[in-house]
Amino acid sequence: MNNSSRLAQAVRRALLLGAVSSAGARPGVAADQTVTAPQGELQEIVITGQQFNYGELQSANKMPMSVVDTPQTVQIITSDMINFANLTNFNDMYKLDAGAQPSYSRAGITHTYFRGFANDFEDALRVDGFRQLGSVVQDLAPYDRVEIIKGSVATTYGQSGTAGTINAVTKQPQPNFGGSASVEAGQWNHYRADFDIYGPLTEDRQLTGRMVAAYLDEDSSFQYWYTKHIVLAPSLKYAFPDDTSVLLQVQYQHLDSSASVGFPAALDAGGSGGANNPANYSLPAVPYDSFGVGAPWSQMKKNFYDATVRVEHKFDSSWQLRSNFQYTHLRSDPLEWVWPGAFNTLPANKNSVTNIYTYFGEEDNSSYSGEVDLFGDVDLFGHKQTLFLGADTERLHEAFEPYAAGLLPGSTTGFNIYNPNWALIPQSATGSYSAFAPGGIYGPNGGTVKDYKRLHDNTGVTAQAILRPFDPLTVNLGLRWSRSTEIASTRCCSYAAHLEPYPAYTDYYPPQDATTFQGGVVYALTKSVNAYATWGQTFDVRDDFAFDSANPTGNGKFLGPDKGVTYEAGLKGELNSKRVYWAADVFNTARTNVDQPDPLHPQFMIQVGQQRARGAELEFQGNVRPGLDVYLSATAMTNEYTAGPYAGIVSPFGPKFGVSAYGSYQIQGGDLRGLGFGGGVVHQHRPKFQLLDGMVFPQFFGDFTTVDLRTFYDTEHWRFELSASNAFNDRFFSPTYVWLGGQLAVNPPRQILGKLTRRF
């Protein structure tokens, strides 16, 4: 094949995939698909199937901005990185964010962690800028990339976690035809299929569309564990001739899986010092394949719907109006799980019986969100200044109708988690109201049946300015007013009352308002290196109550919101014609009005004063040379309580040192052209686990290192892959809450998968 034929063939392929320019990649496009040729000579185009770098984001301030010009730490996880690191859901982000915490609770809830601070439920994640509940573990198939914004984001998004947020960006329709289809199979009866096709639907390319679909069916190395996942995500976009566009996106995800909330620690109560001696606690000595696994009939069936409409209009080359509206609905029916030894500890003696806490219920959540943003440029003082004004509102409605929970003492059932006979805990015990009614199996043991509803409204107005007083300097300023109101109502009966009528009560939480500020500066040291510094405030709504000893049967004392502030400074730059992005920063994040679960009163929270994280981070990602892509995330930090009764206690959610390194190399010429190798290493040096009462447990949650390996072969349209996750079968445990009665979970063992992909 001569050079001109190779060039024509490569250009055709690049058009199908959506070529990139030297200014950076577009969504779903490999960053190294570029043409370089000396004048008068045609050269062969280098094409590889990976994209480890993405140059533009919108999550930090809701305006398109280069990542190097953003005065904040941002990690952009491309869809290629998601596939290469074998991320299956948002809980796996610790593989690529070295400062994150693993979460394998298997309770169907998304937990995210930034700089040692935990986010879940309302703070767990955002999709296209909208808050989504973390009470479903979403498949990642519909998402083009994930943007992790570290530090304060309250000025952009309102109530949010102290140290950052995740914003997942959905795959969009494209004007050029392209796509892929893949099938995957492997250990533990793992079978998966993915399909993604996009392109113009009309000859003038004004109407474009995309369809994403995925199916997963797998068993597990863990007893009784299975997962079935179905994803459908169609989208349409119409571009009017007057610079107006309308985007409609719909997403459906169905999750059917086992359910487990993990195990608490095991206690040797007969040891010296009893419960007050940390040496008497250990991880439950159960087989690897049954650690944290529930009953054979434990299950979660969840249906998640998401519909988004986005209308954008460009008035001219510099001003834009954007309106977004989103509706989500989550229906869980049923939820059935057990929690061995909940709220206490398991007995270390394998011959002892085990208390079982059981739960069943139906969950129905919906949210309505909308925002209007106006932004653009004005010329002042001889430079371009950018202004932004936005308003947003959302209404979240949660309903558990009904849910039932109760404790079955081991002394009553004879059940032993070390040698489980699940026939002693029949499914009928959790699947019927009669079990919780007077005379039922839970009647003498404190079972409850409840209906619970919660209505939460958030509203906010944001103003931002990007000022350029002179060429090397850019100043980012943000101001936001946020307001949150909440009403929760419960109808409840205990085992001593009849199921009807329910005694009812309603909590009207005090409105929680906040005005938050954020400021940053970026100074261009050279054409490719920027220095930056930022300061920002955080506002996070809480509906937590502390136990009130003066009224022990009441609802407790309202604790109010927690607040935080972040200081950060660093350097950012680009290399290799903007194919490589790197950043280094130091940070200080402080949080006040901190609360944690009360170990003595599990239905309440306990106020523990202030918490602070300090550390340094390094990011490096992109195409280093033809065929070689590298991703590196490293962090060193200390996250501890700095004031209050628990000053000096270290958070278990932030590693003292962590590194995540992934690489991929594909041979570019010769008979082996297209053959590639790669893999990754994730290592964390974790602090000693401490309880809030100061007890230190060095035997829990030590360091871990996992290795992923991969080999692949690319042709013009096909890709063959063989991968091994956790290749050396490293085993480690992770906590969900800062108390030993919480959830302890173990990571999955090695899994070998084969995958075949056809590119269109």
Side-chain angles (χ1 to χ4, degrees), residues 346-427:
L346 293 174
N349 185 345
K350 292 186 176 182
N351 296 319
S352 297
V353 294
T354 307
N355 297 334
I356 294 290
Y357 183 84
T358 67
Y359 173 95
F360 82 96
E362 300 173 4
E363 180 181 10
D364 199 314
N365 300 333
S366 58
S367 67
Y368 304 84
S369 305
E371 67 175 359
V372 178
D373 301 324
L374 176 66
F375 55 92
D377 299 329
V378 296
D379 290 322
L380 290 174
F381 311 112
H383 292 82
K384 181 178 68 175
Q385 321 295 337
T386 304
L387 305 178
F388 176 98
L389 182 64
D392 55 78
T393 185
E394 64 178 349
R395 165 161 287 192
L396 169 65
H397 182 266
E398 291 182 274
F400 294 85
E401 300 180 289
Y403 74 88
L407 182 68
L408 279 174
S411 58
T412 300
T413 64
F415 182 81
N416 182 339
I417 192 61
Y418 297 105
N419 186 23
N421 177 8
W422 288 107
L424 300 174
I425 314 291
Q427 184 174 10

Side-chain angles (χ1 to χ4, degrees), residues 184-197:
E184 185 178 72
Q187 282 182 290
W188 322 121
N189 295 321
H190 172 101
Y191 301 99
R192 182 180 176 98
D194 285 87
F195 180 79
D196 178 14
I197 189 169

Side-chain angles (χ1 to χ4, degrees), residues 646-731:
Y646 303 111
I649 291 181
V650 177
S651 167
F653 298 135
K656 299 180 72 173
F657 174 77
V659 62
S660 173
Y662 279 81
S664 170
Y665 178 70
Q666 188 173 44
I667 298 172
Q668 298 296 296
D671 294 338
L672 297 179
R673 181 185 179 187
L675 179 64
F677 307 91
V681 177
V682 177
H683 171 77
Q684 288 193 7
H685 172 50
R686 298 192 286 183
K688 296 177 181 178
F689 183 74
Q690 293 180 257
L691 281 184
L692 296 182
D693 59 7
M695 295 174 63
V696 180
F697 301 83
Q699 67 271 38
F700 287 106
F701 318 125
D703 301 353
F704 72 85
T705 303
T706 61
V707 176
D708 296 341
L709 299 175
R710 183 178 299 259
T711 184
F712 54 91
Y713 180 72
D714 270 315
T715 68
E716 183 177 358
H717 296 294
W718 293 92
R719 181 179 178 89
F720 306 86
E721 297 180 68
L722 183 65
S723 65
S725 298
N726 191 12
F728 298 108
N729 227 19
D730 188 73
R731 181 184 185 186

Side-chain angles (χ1 to χ4, degrees), residues 548-625:
D548 185 358
S549 58
N551 183 16
T553 60
N555 292 337
K557 299 177 181 178
F558 183 62
L559 294 176
D562 78 14
K563 299 181 180 181
V565 62
T566 290
Y567 301 86
E568 182 181 315
L571 298 173
K572 294 184 176 184
E574 293 176 318
L575 301 169
N576 198 16
S577 300
K578 298 186 178 182
R579 297 181 187 178
V580 173
Y581 162 73
W582 63 269
D585 70 84
V586 292
F587 64 87
N588 184 321
T589 298
R591 177 183 173 210
T592 60
N593 200 27
V594 180
D595 57 26
Q596 297 286 356
D598 186 340
L600 300 179
H601 307 93
Q603 68 272 38
F604 292 101
M605 305 295 284
I606 185 172
Q607 204 163 33
V608 295
Q610 299 180 16
Q611 186 179 0
R612 182 185 65 204
R614 286 179 171 175
E617 297 166 321
L618 175 66
E619 310 294 337
F620 183 98
Q621 62 183 106
N623 181 237
V624 176
R625 55 169 295 174

Side-chain angles (χ1 to χ4, degrees), residues 102-106 222 260-264 283 291-292 686 701 732-736 742-747:
S103 176
Y104 289 104
S105 66
R106 301 178 178 89
F222 298 102
S260 170
V261 292
F263 286 170
L283 293 166
F291 192 96
R686 298 192 286 183
F701 318 125
F732 63 90
F733 298 83
S734 59
T736 302
Q743 303 168 9
L744 311 183
V746 67
N747 69 308

